[in-house]
Amino acid sequence: MKGQLRRSIASIFLWTFLYFLINSIVFVTIPSIFPGISETLEKYYVYLSVGITLLLGYMIVSSLSDFAYWSIRLKYEEGTAGAVRSVIKIIGVGSLLSGIAGAVAGGAAGVALGGFIGIVIGQASQQIIGQGVAGLIVLVTRPISIGDRITVSNETGVVRDISTMFTVIERDDKSVVMIPNSMLMGSKIYKFQSS
């Protein structure tokens, strides 16, 4: 695991270095060596900049989420680390998109557009992020464990799985119920002592 953690740190530095290197080559070095290309590059500056930022920005966000995953895996199990990785990736990609939109529009319009897109992305992913955060809290605080007999949200049974998004309960009739973790966090949980 420590090898994976070192690899994710190296990956963050590599993608960040490549971002600055490619930007400097495309927007500084090439126009200074080939002055005739400078006019053509100016026409496509926004598109090149957005493309480079999207591609390499996504790689940086992925590397950061992998770093968080392996850092948390040192102490917690895979489900918890996976939840954190997902939340960081969603927030990172949303921030990347709103930042690009704001930069393209420029000035006060850019700030307004970036903020608006951030709000839209936040509202659209609110349920997913809420589920992920609730799952993370359930996985870290451990109010229930696999094998516990519980009643939650009018469902009684044995906990078979706890994931980022759902807790799976097997009822007495052998049917399976998937309870969203946000409901689990907002409900009373009755745990039965094993006999």
Side-chain angles (χ1 to χ4, degrees):
M1 272 193 248
K2 289 187 179 182
Q4 294 288 348
L5 185 62
R6 280 192 287 270
R7 243 180 259 132
S8 64
I9 292 170
S11 179
I12 292 169
F13 286 115
L14 172 70
W15 290 115
T16 305
F17 174 75
L18 280 174
Y19 174 76
F20 289 114
L21 179 68
I22 290 172
N23 270 321
S24 66
I25 289 172
V26 171
F27 301 116
V28 177
T29 307
I30 291 176
S32 66
I33 295 173
F34 306 105
I37 294 177
S38 182
E39 290 177 23
T40 307
L41 279 178
E42 275 187 38
K43 292 178 187 175
Y44 299 104
Y45 176 81
V46 172
Y47 303 110
L48 287 170
S49 182
V50 166
I52 292 168
T53 303
L54 272 177
L55 176 66
L56 295 175
Y58 178 77
M59 297 310 294
I60 292 168
V61 167
S62 291
S63 297
L64 285 170
S65 64
D66 285 344
F67 171 73
Y69 174 83
W70 290 112
S71 296
I72 292 170
R73 278 289 280 142
L74 293 173
K75 189 171 183 181
Y76 296 102
E77 62 185 42
E78 186 174 351
T80 305
V84 171
R85 176 171 47 190
S86 297
V87 168
I88 288 175
K89 196 173 272 193
I90 289 169
I91 291 171
V93 168
S95 301
L96 182 66
L97 292 175
S98 63
I100 288 172
V104 168
V111 172
L113 181 61
F116 175 73
I117 289 177
I119 290 170
V120 168
I121 291 170
Q123 289 295 323
S125 61
Q126 181 178 8
Q127 189 76 16
I128 295 168
I129 291 173
Q131 283 288 87
V133 170
L136 180 62
I137 292 169
V138 168
L139 289 166
V140 170
T141 61
R142 294 277 181 208
I144 58 173
S145 299
I146 294 174
D148 285 352
R149 183 169 178 74
I150 65 168
T151 297
V152 64
S153 300
N154 295 323
E155 298 291 345
T156 300
V158 177
V159 177
R160 292 295 176 216
D161 188 29
I162 304 170
S163 69
T164 308
M165 303 299 275
F166 298 99
T167 296
V168 178
I169 296 176
E170 183 181 322
R171 296 192 295 197
D172 294 334
D173 64 357
K174 300 296 181 200
S175 61
V176 174
V177 179
M178 296 175 70
I179 298 176
N181 285 328
S182 59
M183 286 181 67
L184 191 72
M185 292 301 300
S187 302
K188 288 183 184 177
I189 302 171
Y190 299 95
K191 279 175 80 169
F192 300 98
Q193 298 295 326
S194 48
S195 17

